Amino acid sequence: MKFQNKILLAFLLLILLPIFILGLVSYHVTSTTLKDKVGEETVYTLESIGLNLQMVLSEVNTLSNYIISSREVQDFIKYNDEKSLLDFYNQGQAIAGLLYGQSKLNELVLYSEVGQVYSFQRTEIPSFQQFQKSEFFQLLKAEEGRPVWITTVDSHKFMENDKPIFSQGRLIKDLNTLNAIGYLILDVRLDRFDEVFQALQQDDSQTMIVNDRGEVVYHLSHEMIGETIALPQEMIVSQSGTFINHWEKEKSLISYIPITFNENEISSFYLVSVKPWSFITSETKFIRNITILLVIVVTVFAIFFKQLFLNNIIHFITEFQANMKQVEKGQLSTRMQTFAYRELNQLAKSFNRMVDEISILLNRVKDEQERKRKAEFKVLQNQINPHFLYNTLESINSMAVLHGSREISKMTINLGKLLRISINSDDRVRVSDEVRHAISYLEIQKIRFNERFTFEITCDKELEHHYILKLVLQPLVENTLKHGFDKNKLDGFINIRGGISNTNQGFLFIEDNGCGISKDVLAAFNESNKLRKTLNQSIGCGVMNVQERMKLYYGDRYGIMICSYENAGTIIKLTFPLSEGEHHDL
């Protein structure tokens, strides 16, 4: 997968996806909270309706208590005295009228045990014999004077009537003997229930009374009374609550509480409120729309962020990767362009500096390799054919012995020893061989200079078997003889010492009592190879040659260090790492 695609995928997963999830979670939490809040408010409303219904029932109970306990009604039922009933009406019309008006009674019916029937409205009502055969009569007998209610769907238990009504019936007992003397039936108009429901019902919901068989006992729309609905399982197993279910094939919020009509009766009725879920969620549309708008705004900002910022970073990384590949291929002319962001521009400049430094280092390595090649070539150039020269020296030595010339013989032998190291093609020789090579050179020079100098060489046995770059000691000795001694000086002295330092490095000291080196020349030497022409003239090209070869072979930690005072002699220290190698006899 390309880097751009990875960034885009990460952008979608880590930024846009959490934003969408946040929007969905916010909407879900809002909907759930609204559902709980609306459910609680609906339950409170149902409880208020239930209290008002209990007040209606209580009004009817109070009226029926007044009626069955009045002397006039008692006399009317016991003695069939209509005048007593008229007195009841006239004397109690203030109270009875108030209760009757509040309760909105549709009918008041009195039955006596002797079969007499009285109706205030003079409507067609069942005879006493028909009444005795009804289920309502049996309920009244069983309750022995307590109020008994029959609902709209059970009104057929009293009389055949298509008009839905709520009826209350009570057994009338003689106040003196407590014997049953008659029965009271009160019909309550639905208008009284309408007032209760209209006062509290919300326009967006349906509120009804349902019995445990699923029959609608009361609904503000009277056409619904008597309809049968399937009760959700939640209403059957729980006393009250709120839940979401389908009501008449529509997702709805259903809230319910139990209610009772008769005292000491287990509740078999529910006060139910049904609110369409679509209407509830319409209240969350504003929140949903705001959430969607916020998601869109954040998404737009995130896209702008990607276009304005991430794309620049992606472009930088892509260009950086391409330029690195070019550098890997050796195209060191590659450079990063400038960028608008300071941090990216700093990285681009650092990359360009790195490539510049690599170019400089490569050029430096090339120069050092070239100098090394030239130094090695110079060493080879200075060598004469060693085999031929060695054989010639053997012939000269033989002739010198025959003629008794010991000095010529000695010089010839030492020159032959001097040339043995040239025959060896290895870069390194043992320290003992390098010292022996210097001794041969000094012996020849002593004869040449008529014994005008002496030398002394001491070297630790431990150091002798280690290896050192060849032809490093003899050029330093040669430089001492060439530049260190006055030609007229007859007491020159050279001391060569070798050993192993505490830091486990090999060292060789070349000390003389010559004319020394000036401070300027020493400063230039120690400052690396500046003023090279002056150094070659003051110190000697051999010293510079050895220094370059040591640095190239061993590194900058090793090489030559010179201490000198004018007219007070010179000390040259040569350091090298200890190493052992394959032995070659010289």
Side-chain angles (χ1 to χ4, degrees):
M1 183 183 294
K2 293 184 178 180
F3 181 73
Q4 295 92 327
N5 296 334
K6 291 181 180 178
I7 292 293
L8 180 60
L9 182 61
F11 176 77
L12 293 175
L13 293 179
L14 300 179
I15 297 180
L16 296 185
L17 183 60
I19 292 174
F20 286 118
I21 292 176
L22 178 62
L24 292 176
V25 170
S26 299
Y27 180 73
H28 175 73
V29 170
T30 303
S31 300
T32 303
T33 304
L34 185 62
K35 174 252 181 184
D36 295 338
K37 183 178 179 181
V38 172
E40 291 177 2
E41 291 178 352
T42 305
V43 170
Y44 293 151
T45 302
L46 292 178
E47 290 175 351
S48 299
I49 294 176
L51 289 175
N52 289 348
L53 287 177
Q54 292 300 322
M55 290 178 62
V56 172
L57 300 179
S58 178
E59 290 173 0
V60 178
N61 289 339
T62 301
L63 177 60
S64 63
N65 285 337
Y66 173 75
I67 293 174
I68 65 176
S69 62
S70 69
R71 182 180 57 81
E72 289 80 8
V73 172
Q74 292 269 328
D75 291 343
F76 168 73
I77 293 177
K78 288 191 293 184
Y79 307 116
N80 193 23
D81 185 0
E82 291 190 10
K83 182 178 180 298
S84 298
L85 189 60
L86 184 60
D87 291 339
F88 161 75
Y89 176 77
N90 291 330
Q91 294 175 4
Q93 71 177 10
I95 298 176
L98 179 63
L99 294 174
Y100 182 83
Q102 288 181 342
S103 302
K104 296 186 179 298
L105 296 180
N106 187 60
E107 178 64 287
L108 187 152
V109 181
L110 290 173
Y111 287 100
S112 67
E113 283 288 351
V114 295
Q116 293 178 335
V117 182
Y118 181 81
S119 169
F120 271 19
Q121 295 288 341
R122 304 297 181 180
T123 57
E124 294 184 4
I125 58 175
S127 65
F128 182 68
Q129 290 75 19
Q130 292 173 328
F131 174 61
Q132 285 180 313
K133 297 177 182 178
S134 67
E135 295 181 33
F136 196 22
F137 177 81
Q138 302 301 325
L139 293 173
L140 297 181
K141 293 280 286 185
E143 290 298 321
E144 296 184 348
R146 289 186 291 271
V148 177
W149 285 87
I150 57 174
T151 61
T152 53
V153 296
D154 295 322
S155 58
H156 64 277
K157 294 180 180 179
F158 172 55
M159 60 180 294
E160 297 295 333
N161 188 1
D162 295 335
K163 187 177 181 180
I165 58 172
F166 284 88
S167 299
Q168 187 202 80
R170 299 184 71 168
L171 175 66
I172 304 175
K173 291 186 178 183
D174 190 337
L175 295 178
N176 297 319
T177 63
L178 297 181
N179 294 326
I181 59 174
Y183 303 91
L184 171 66
I185 308 297
L186 297 175
D187 294 339
V188 182
R189 292 185 302 192
L190 295 183
D191 297 351
R192 187 69 181 96
F193 289 84
D194 292 344
E195 292 176 357
V196 173
F197 279 78
Q198 286 174 349
L200 295 173
Q201 178 173 281
Q202 300 175 351
D203 296 336
D204 57 336
S205 63
Q206 302 181 60
T207 307
M208 65 194 77
I209 301 175
V210 182
N211 62 18
D212 55 3
R213 299 189 300 272
E215 297 171 321
V216 179
V217 174
Y218 173 81
H219 196 287
L220 198 58
S221 175
H222 296 175
E223 290 80 5
M224 289 290 297
I225 296 176
E227 296 290 334
T228 302
I229 59 176
L231 294 180
Q233 185 66 25
E234 290 85 349
M235 291 181 59
I236 299 175
V237 300
S238 177
Q239 288 297 314
S240 63
T242 299
F243 60 91
I244 296 176
N245 204 330
H246 284 81
W247 187 281
E248 296 181 352
K249 299 181 180 180
E250 183 181 8
K251 185 179 180 181
S252 304
L253 178 67
I254 303 173
S255 304
Y256 63 96
I257 61 171
I259 60 171
T260 58
F261 285 92
N262 299 316
E263 297 179 0
N264 302 321
E265 179 186 46
I266 299 175
S267 175
S268 59
F269 296 91
Y270 298 97
L271 191 57
V272 181
S273 173
V274 180
K275 190 184 294 287
W277 185 249
S278 59
F279 188 87
I280 296 174
T281 54
S282 66
E283 299 181 13
T284 64
K285 285 182 179 179
F286 176 75
I287 300 174
R288 182 193 62 191
N289 294 338
I290 290 296
T291 303
I292 293 174
L293 180 62
L294 288 176
V295 169
I296 293 174
V297 169
V298 173
T299 302
V300 169
F301 274 108
I303 292 173
F304 272 116
F305 171 76
K306 176 184 175 295
Q307 293 297 118
L308 298 177
F309 186 73
L310 284 183
N311 282 357
N312 287 331
I313 296 178
I314 294 172
H315 174 65
F316 171 81
I317 295 175
T318 304
E319 183 178 341
F320 187 85
Q321 184 182 25
N323 288 335
M324 284 296 293
K325 289 182 178 179
Q326 294 296 323
V327 172
E328 289 176 358
K329 294 178 181 178
Q331 298 181 8
L332 299 180
S333 60
T334 302
R335 295 294 183 271
M336 293 283 289
Q337 65 177 352
T338 57
F339 289 86
Y341 297 111
R342 183 179 63 181
E343 292 78 6
L344 299 182
N345 204 39
Q346 283 294 110
L347 291 175
K349 288 181 179 179
S350 299
F351 175 83
N352 293 338
R353 283 197 300 270
M354 180 190 71
V355 176
D356 289 337
E357 290 179 359
I358 290 175
S359 300
I360 293 172
L361 289 174
L362 286 177
N363 291 331
R364 186 179 299 171
V365 169
K366 289 180 181 177
D367 292 341
E368 290 179 351
Q369 291 293 330
E370 181 65 18
R371 292 208 315 269
K372 182 179 178 181
R373 186 188 65 78
K374 289 180 178 179
E376 291 176 349
F377 179 77
K378 192 171 184 179
V379 172
L380 293 175
Q381 193 176 29
N382 291 333
Q383 293 177 356
I384 307 173
N385 190 329
H387 295 282
F388 171 76
L389 187 57
Y390 181 73
N391 293 331
T392 303
L393 290 174
E394 285 292 332
S395 299
I396 294 173
N397 181 48
S398 300
M399 292 176 64
V401 171
L402 290 175
H403 290 82
S405 180
R406 296 183 59 188
E407 294 295 330
I408 296 175
S409 176
K410 185 177 180 180
M411 287 184 68
T412 304
I413 292 173
N414 286 315
L415 183 58
K417 292 179 180 180
L418 188 66
L419 293 176
R420 285 183 183 273
I421 195 169
S422 298
I423 299 175
N424 181 18
S425 61
D426 294 336
D427 291 332
R428 300 181 307 158
V429 295
R430 290 185 186 274
V431 174
S432 59
D433 294 331
E434 182 69 11
V435 171
R436 187 174 63 189
H437 179 265
I439 292 173
S440 298
Y441 174 78
L442 287 170
E443 290 291 346
I444 294 173
Q445 294 299 329
K446 279 183 70 177
I447 297 173
R448 179 186 172 193
F449 287 100
N450 296 320
E451 305 291 335
R452 286 190 296 174
F453 71 91
T454 58
F455 66 89
E456 182 180 346
I457 297 177
T458 57
C459 185
D460 292 345
K461 295 295 183 182
E462 220 176 296
L463 180 66
E464 290 183 351
H465 69 278
H466 288 282
Y467 279 75
I468 188 173
L469 187 66
K470 73 178 181 178
L471 296 177
V472 294
L473 184 56
Q474 182 269 329
L476 300 181
V477 174
E478 180 181 354
N479 183 78
T480 299
L481 293 175
K482 185 176 180 181
H483 299 283
F485 294 140
D486 190 349
K487 295 182 179 180
N488 299 320
K489 190 171 182 179
L490 300 177
D491 55 352
F493 178 73
I494 298 175
N495 182 22
I496 299 174
R497 293 180 289 113
I500 299 175
S501 66
N502 294 332
T503 57
N504 203 30
Q505 293 179 351
F507 66 85
L508 290 170
F509 281 101
I510 300 95
E511 184 177 358
D512 66 71
N513 60 348
C515 59
I517 304 172
S518 67
K519 292 181 179 180
D520 295 337
V521 175
L522 278 179
F525 177 82
N526 291 329
E527 200 177 333
S528 157
N529 293 328
K530 293 181 180 178
L531 305 175
R532 181 180 179 86
K533 184 176 180 181
T534 303
L535 291 175
N536 288 339
Q537 294 173 355
S538 304
I539 295 180
C541 62
V543 176
M544 297 307 300
N545 187 283
V546 171
Q547 177 76 321
E548 287 186 5
R549 290 170 59 214
M550 291 290 288
K551 296 289 185 184
L552 289 172
Y553 196 86
Y554 291 122
D556 291 337
R557 292 179 56 192
Y558 305 97
I560 296 172
M561 184 175 68
I562 302 176
C563 295
S564 180
Y565 294 97
E566 290 189 61
N567 302 317
T570 302
I571 299 176
I572 300 176
K573 182 180 181 181
L574 180 69
T575 58
F576 58 93
L578 297 179
S579 62
E580 298 182 3
E582 185 180 356
H583 176 68
H584 295 277
D585 291 330
L586 299 179

